[in-house]
């Protein structure tokens, strides 16, 4: 359960203000919410399953102190990445706006491709090096879908005027805190 809750919280925060969250909002303004959420869930489940597999292989191959230090540095990097921001390119935005055929397939493929190498994928790999794969997979998948669902709901009710600045700073601060904790962990044990 620890892996589930940690992964859910970390990935939820990582997804705030992320490119794929903006993509979810774009799709949801054009299509019904349920096919968009199902597509997001399917793509996320597959990407995060691959991520936890990679994390388990890495976790089994490296000593825990090295993993903790690497994870701490990674989370500090995620904080910087979050502060830098993430936006949909004009091409990505126009693809989301043009899609009219099979919404479920379009959303699933778009999210799958946008998550490859994204910070939530890397964060999931990092979490899986330290926690059980099943809890990490389920927690990270639910965390990402919940953050995207939140964006859809807020976006549909409030329009495009989201407090991105506060979301970005809050997410960056949470990543930095996780990074510092992970860096201090080997020193305190």
């Amino acid at each position: 359960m620890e892996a589930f809750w940690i992964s859910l919280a970390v990935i939820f925060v990582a997804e705030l203000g992320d490119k794929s969250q903006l993509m979810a909002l774009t799709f949801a303004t054009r299509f019904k919410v349920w096919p968009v959420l199902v597509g997001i869930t399917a793509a996320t489940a597959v990407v995060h399953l691959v991520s936890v597999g990679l994390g388990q292989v890495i976790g089994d191959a490296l000593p825990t102190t090295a993993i903790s230090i690497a994870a701490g540095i990674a989370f500090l990097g995620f904080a910087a990445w979050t502060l830098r921001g993430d936006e949909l390119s004009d091409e990505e935005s126009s693809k989301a706006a043009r899609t009219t055929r099979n919404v479920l397939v379009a959303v699933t493929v778009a999210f799958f491709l946008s998550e490859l190498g994204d910070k939530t994928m890397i964060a999931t790999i990092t979490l899986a090096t330290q926690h059980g794969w099943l809890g990490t997979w389920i927690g990270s998948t639910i965390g990402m879908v919940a953050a995207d669902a939140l964006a859809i709901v807020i976006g549909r009710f409030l329009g495009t005027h989201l407090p991105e600045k506060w979301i970005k700073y809050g997410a960056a601060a949470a990543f930095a805190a996780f990074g510092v904790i992970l860096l201090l962990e080997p020193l305190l044990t």
Side-chain angles (χ1 to χ4, degrees):
M1 285 306 289
E2 180 182 341
F4 170 82
W5 289 111
I6 289 171
S7 298
L8 189 146
V10 168
I11 298 303
F12 181 87
V13 169
E15 186 64 8
L16 296 177
D18 192 63
K19 172 177 62 175
S20 51
Q21 194 179 41
L22 299 173
M23 193 181 303
L25 179 59
T26 302
F27 275 122
T29 59
R30 187 163 164 88
F31 305 111
K32 292 180 181 176
V33 172
W34 289 113
V36 173
L37 283 175
V38 170
I40 291 168
T41 303
T44 301
V46 172
V47 170
H48 288 201
L49 184 60
V50 170
S51 300
V52 296
L54 289 170
Q56 286 293 291
V57 169
I58 293 167
D60 290 342
L62 297 174
T64 48
T65 301
I67 291 171
S68 185
I69 291 169
I73 292 169
F75 276 97
L76 292 175
F78 299 151
W81 190 346
T82 301
L83 284 174
R84 180 190 64 122
D86 214 357
E87 296 179 0
L88 287 178
S89 69
D90 291 337
E91 181 183 340
E92 291 167 327
S93 188
S94 68
K95 279 182 187 176
R98 283 193 318 260
T99 304
T100 56
R101 289 188 289 264
N102 190 334
V103 176
L104 181 61
V105 171
V107 172
T108 303
V109 170
F111 269 82
F112 178 81
L113 295 175
S114 74
E115 284 304 302
L116 293 177
D118 194 48
K119 70 181 169 191
T120 51
M121 180 182 185
I122 297 167
T124 302
I125 292 169
T126 303
L127 289 164
T129 63
Q130 298 181 337
H131 302 285
W133 75 271
L134 184 60
T136 300
W137 176 52
I138 295 170
S140 66
T141 300
I142 291 173
M144 184 161 161
V145 173
D148 289 340
L150 177 66
I152 291 167
V153 168
I154 290 173
R156 289 188 73 107
F157 287 118
L158 301 178
T160 58
H161 302 295
L162 299 174
E164 290 182 44
K165 181 177 169 181
W166 290 105
I167 291 171
K168 180 169 53 171
Y169 292 147
F175 275 127
F178 282 123
V180 169
I181 290 167
L182 287 167
L183 286 171
L184 291 175
E185 192 174 59
L187 299 173
L188 300 174
T189 55

